Amino acid sequence: MARIAVMGAGMGAMAAAARLAVAGHRVVVYERTATYGGAVRRFEREGFAFDTGPGLLPLPAVYRDLFLKTGKEPLEACVELVQVDPSSRHVFADDTDVSLPNASRAGVVTALTEALGAGAGERWGDFLVRAREAWDRTRRPLLEEPLWPNWQVLAEREPYPAVPHKRLLRTRRATTLAEVGAWELRDPRLTALLESHALACGLDPRVAPASATVLPYMEHAFGTWYVRGGLRELARAVYERCVARRVEFVFGAEVTGIVEKDGRAAGVELRDGTVAEADTVVGSGPWRLSGLSRPELYAGDEVRPTAESLVAGKVVVCLALRGAREAGAAHRTVVHTTDREREFDLFGPGTPPERPTVWVERPDDPRLRPDDAHESVVLTSTVPSGAHRDWTASGAADDFADRMVTAAERAVPGLRERVLWREVRTPAHTEEETGAQGGGIPAPSLAGSAGTLLHPANSTRLPGLFAVGGWAHPGGGLPHAGMSGALVAGLVVEGPEFRGSR
């Protein structure tokens, strides 16, 4: 039995902790805040409850596997999973409105054709076929295997089979997501649909590689799911699975240093000066960004999160509404910006648009509202992180929240008049809760783009030290966090020869 110290109680860290405990190790998790879950948080007030992190769960198979491998009770015995249908509703800049069915390529093609006109659905369907090819080429190296030592192969080779495009007497192929939209989809609304998946991950579609086409493919192929009671219930279930496997949690314990002995990790040092000895140390992502990062610890050539993945954060507006949720309302509606160019100014020095792209979450869940005469709604927008904009400045948060509410009214008429109260959360809250610098959100690892969207390997040059979570391979997102935990557990248990699950 080895002693394993885990820094942080985020989803990836807990996924690793549960698997390592089942393998027979003594695992202690040190979390600097008072609770678990990382960015998967809940805000509660006056009978209302809101997810302030992710609102839906893609690829639930990742957590089904975690629960299968760590106990007798399957995931569905611990949380209630509901497949959301429609998967999403979209309100475009010209007020075209379309609802996309869940996990149905044929249904999506039909819906887009009916809403956008002849040819639109067919172009999207053909695009999904190409996106699937990119998915098939990158799934194992980017999600199911430790980062290759020769990761440059992933960086140099663009896996998306772009359609040849004649431009200025030359034949070119799309290398960015924006080019895929402009050259292959050829409809500003389809382009907005495509680019919204990158924007949701904090990526600028103008520089995100064409391989980011796997993001909409994952949603269409595997569907989107809701956890009854909110996504915080998934964090609770993972935490309880850890406790059932005898993982020990120490809250209010901030790790400030890594203890080294005989050339390997030998424990962690806490803020109060306490030293916790360990045979192996597992670090959740933000520790790389908070003074503990040392380039010499990276395995192989250093791979760092890029400026593109660090610049973006989230503003979340929790709305307590009077009045019942109308029958048939979509769980998620994406209200697209009316000013695309200013929208992308968030990746530079410009000011946000008057009407940003807003994700409107309206779960039909009695557990999130005091009674059926009220409704709990969450608005989310991608914004510059605290490293690029001062979200604590007077009026900054409320001004942007007002813009979000105005934009959301295109999908929920009369929204402003229904508001009893609201809670606005910015990247400053994210930084406080997760430790991520500026409250930035990690993007998922993507191939191509010269490796700028690959994340640090789970192994490091210091024996006994491993990295887990959204800021390590395979990057950000709930499924990626679970996969990260599985990879780290495999590396710890089986050693450097571990090559992923088969």
Side-chain angles (χ1 to χ4, degrees):
M1 175 188 291
R3 300 166 301 173
I4 299 179
V6 178
M7 296 185 281
M11 297 297 284
M14 290 197 295
R19 290 176 181 270
L20 290 168
V22 167
H25 300 297
R26 182 192 169 205
V27 183
V28 182
V29 177
Y30 299 93
E31 167 58 46
R32 67 183 185 83
T33 70
T35 189
Y36 53 83
V40 185
R41 299 289 179 116
R42 172 184 290 156
F43 177 77
E44 299 183 45
R45 174 181 161 190
E46 298 174 9
F48 292 90
F50 310 86
D51 279 328
T52 59
L56 290 173
L57 174 65
L59 277 178
V62 172
Y63 288 91
R64 289 192 179 110
D65 182 70
L66 171 64
F67 277 73
L68 178 67
K69 300 290 176 55
T70 59
K72 296 180 179 179
E73 304 85 5
L75 175 64
E76 280 81 352
C78 302
V79 298
E80 183 182 352
L81 282 177
V82 181
Q83 192 168 20
V84 175
D85 201 17
S87 175
S88 58
R89 173 190 173 206
H90 292 262
V91 180
F92 297 108
D94 64 353
D95 289 328
T96 303
D97 193 317
V98 60
S99 293
L100 304 181
N102 203 335
S104 171
R105 177 179 174 273
V108 168
V109 168
T110 299
L112 290 173
T113 298
E114 292 176 352
L116 308 186
E122 183 179 356
R123 288 196 300 276
W124 185 262
D126 292 343
F127 153 74
L128 287 179
V129 172
R130 295 189 293 276
R132 176 179 180 175
E133 191 168 335
W135 166 261
D136 289 340
R137 292 174 177 176
T138 61
R139 176 178 58 85
R140 281 203 62 81
L142 288 187
L143 299 179
E144 298 175 1
E145 298 176 347
L147 186 65
W148 293 347
N150 61 332
W151 57 266
Q152 292 88 346
V153 175
L154 296 172
E156 297 164 358
R157 186 178 301 168
E158 172 53 62
Y160 178 73
V163 176
H165 171 75
K166 287 189 175 181
R167 181 179 175 87
L168 299 178
L169 303 179
R170 292 188 303 162
T171 299
R172 299 184 58 189
R173 294 178 183 267
T175 60
T176 68
L177 203 65
E179 289 174 343
V180 172
W183 299 352
E184 300 181 14
L185 298 178
R186 305 191 308 278
D187 184 308
R189 296 162 297 185
L190 291 180
T191 298
L193 173 60
L194 171 64
E195 293 179 342
S196 66
H197 289 83
L199 193 61
C201 296
L203 294 172
D204 183 346
R206 298 169 301 183
V207 296
S211 65
T213 52
V214 299
L215 301 174
Y217 172 77
M218 288 170 59
E219 179 176 307
H220 287 301
F222 305 109
T224 50
W225 302 74
Y226 175 67
V227 178
R228 189 72 66 186
L231 265 291
R232 177 66 177 176
E233 287 299 294
L234 178 64
R236 173 198 56 78
V238 175
Y239 168 73
E240 291 180 353
R241 176 55 53 91
C242 286
V243 172
R245 300 286 83 83
R246 298 187 179 181
V247 174
E248 180 183 349
F249 285 80
V250 183
F251 294 105
E254 182 178 0
V255 174
T256 56
I258 302 165
V259 177
E260 298 178 36
K261 184 177 181 180
D262 299 328
R264 63 173 290 118
V268 295
E269 183 176 345
L270 306 180
R271 174 69 66 186
D272 64 5
T274 302
V275 172
E277 296 183 350
D279 302 295
T280 299
V281 176
V282 174
S284 61
W287 69 277
R288 291 189 177 276
L289 307 174
S290 58
L292 296 176
S293 178
R294 288 165 38 193
E296 68 269 21
L297 296 184
Y298 287 82
D301 292 321
E302 186 181 353
V303 183
R304 285 185 178 275
T306 65
E308 286 82 12
S309 66
L310 290 175
V311 73
K314 298 284 187 182
V315 166
V316 177
V317 182
C318 306
L319 298 176
L321 303 184
R322 61 172 64 87
R325 178 184 187 272
E326 67 269 23
H331 184 112
R332 167 174 288 177
T333 299
V334 184
V335 183
H336 295 267
T337 183
T338 54
D339 189 345
R340 177 178 179 269
E341 292 306 315
R342 282 192 63 191
E343 173 101 288
F344 295 155
D345 280 348
L346 71 90
F347 297 100
T351 58
E354 288 298 321
R355 294 184 180 181
T357 296
V358 176
W359 284 259
V360 183
E361 305 281 352
R362 304 181 67 188
D364 186 11
D365 191 342
R367 296 171 63 178
L368 303 184
R369 56 187 184 242
D371 53 52
D372 289 343
H374 295 84
E375 184 181 6
S376 168
V377 171
V378 175
L379 311 181
T380 305
S381 279
T382 300
V383 298
S385 73
H388 297 264
R389 184 159 300 170
D390 183 7
W391 288 102
T392 64
S394 178
D398 281 328
D399 174 71
F400 194 79
D402 287 340
R403 301 184 192 199
M404 291 171 63
V405 172
T406 298
E409 284 190 299
R410 294 172 55 213
V412 189
L415 175 63
R416 193 178 299 274
E417 287 70 32
R418 294 178 58 195
V419 176
L420 292 170
W421 52 263
R422 74 185 189 189
E423 172 75 10
V424 182
R425 304 182 70 80
T426 72
H429 294 90
T430 304
E431 181 171 17
E432 180 181 348
E433 293 171 352
T434 69
Q437 187 179 42
I441 54 174
S445 290
L446 294 171
S449 196
T452 55
L453 286 170
L454 296 176
H455 289 267
N458 305 110
S459 300
T460 72
R461 288 188 178 184
L462 182 65
L465 176 65
F466 299 86
V468 72
W471 297 105
H473 180 72
L478 271 177
H480 299 74
M483 294 172 190
S484 178
L487 291 174
V488 167
L491 288 166
V492 172
V493 173
E494 297 186 25
E497 67 275 7
F498 174 69
R499 290 297 177 265
S501 59
R502 297 288 179 181

